[in-house]
Amino acid sequence: MPGHLISFEGPEGGGKSTQARLLAEALRAGGAEVLETREPGGTPTGEIIRNLLQNDLSGEPLCDETEALLFCASRAQLCRNVLAPALARGQWVVLDRFTDSTIAYQGYGRGFPPDTLRALNAFATGPVRPSLTFLLDLPVEEGLRRALVRSGSRDRIESAPLDFHRRLRDGYLEMAAREPERFAVLDASADASAVAALVRETVAARLGFRFS
Ligand code: Z5A
């Protein structure tokens, strides 16, 4: 596909939304057509699924299998209706979480076999793949603290035990070590503007974009 998909990943509070927004602004300032979106969500159906996933809406606890399938359902809707057409038009897509979140949270976190989750991801995404993935890494306690300061309360997944969050952080680091050509691991405990500068340098070096 002629466009580029850049995803931001990592444990809670790493600054994914902040960095995705800053990168999208910088790409636009450099003349790129940019689509900025997020998972779960990014489509009307996906936003309903997001609400279902984050706030026990039905009053019935979601089983872990349902949770995994709902993340992939939101992804399928986003890939087919939004990402694939944007990439085919040659746009830059900046995405706050994608397939690696499923391997980290539902795989390393909940304990589902990674191969099952990879097959679900492939079913959901079709040919859509990230050109570059930023892993914004930071200690779990610091990330949860930041997320709590931002929202004032913890949602369903943020409330999972600390050990769950530690496993998924380790999982992300393992995934990044396995695919160094796609991942760039950044220390997210640094100041947001310093992280943003590293993001721009990496996009320039790996994808050849000239920032103004
Ligand atoms: N999930 C899953 O389980 N499986 C999947 O397949 C997918 C997702 C796709 C989505 O929640 C949840 O779904 C998520 C994973 C799971 N788990 N939870 N909970 P979300 O979209 O609502 O939230 P999130 O993706 O987890 O975002 P976040 O971690 O809460 O935040 P963030 O985007 O990384 O950070 P931020 O909002 O940019 O910043 C957080 C606060 O820190 C904010 O006050 C900033 O001003 C501050 N901040 C940002 N950068 C810095 C720096 N550098 N220094 C100091 N302070 C900073």
Side-chain angles (χ1 to χ4, degrees):
M1 289 188 184
H4 285 294
L5 169 56
I6 300 174
S7 56
F8 283 85
E9 292 279 1
E12 314 301 314
K16 294 172 295 300
S17 312
T18 306
Q19 294 303 329
R21 178 177 46 78
L22 292 174
L23 174 61
E25 282 169 10
L27 287 166
R28 283 190 194 108
E33 253 196 78
V34 183
L35 171 77
E36 216 181 323
T37 188
R38 68 172 179 184
E39 278 205 353
T43 63
T45 304
E47 291 297 324
I48 293 171
I49 295 174
R50 178 185 180 89
N51 199 2
L52 198 57
L53 279 161
Q54 289 191 331
N55 314 300
D56 288 319
L57 276 193
S58 62
E60 172 194 31
L62 284 183
C63 68
D64 291 349
E65 288 79 0
T66 304
E67 178 190 83
L69 291 167
L70 285 173
F71 280 117
C72 290
S74 170
R75 179 162 306 136
Q77 195 73 8
L78 185 69
C79 285
R80 310 299 157 145
N81 289 0
V82 178
L83 302 189
L87 294 168
R89 284 193 299 272
Q91 281 188 284
W92 290 73
V93 177
V94 178
L95 185 49
D96 187 347
R97 293 197 181 279
F98 195 45
T99 43
D100 302 302
S101 287
T102 300
I103 308 294
Y105 281 76
Q106 282 64 54
Y108 289 92
R110 300 276 189 234
F112 287 126
D115 284 348
T116 305
L117 298 173
R118 282 193 201 100
L120 281 177
N121 273 340
F123 182 63
T125 58
V128 174
R129 299 273 179 282
S131 314
L132 174 61
T133 297
F134 287 101
L135 171 52
L136 300 183
D137 179 57
L138 83 173
V140 159
E141 293 82 353
E142 170 61 9
L144 287 171
R145 191 196 60 75
R146 280 189 196 171
L148 186 60
V149 168
R150 184 205 50 202
S151 319
S153 63
R154 296 213 153 116
D155 68 22
R156 193 178 61 83
I157 296 178
E158 283 165 356
S159 308
L162 213 51
D163 197 44
F164 168 87
H165 293 281
R166 292 205 176 103
R167 281 199 305 278
L168 71 89
R169 181 195 182 194
D170 292 346
Y172 267 126
L173 290 168
E174 249 181 73
M175 286 191 270
R178 228 178 280 139
E179 275 189 87
E181 65 297 335
R182 173 166 69 90
F183 275 94
V185 183
L186 302 184
D187 174 7
S189 48
D191 174 70
S193 57
V195 178
L198 282 175
V199 166
R200 289 193 301 277
E201 270 173 38
T202 309
V203 172
R206 296 213 195 171
L207 302 179
F209 189 80
R210 295 168 72 139
F211 289 94
S212 50

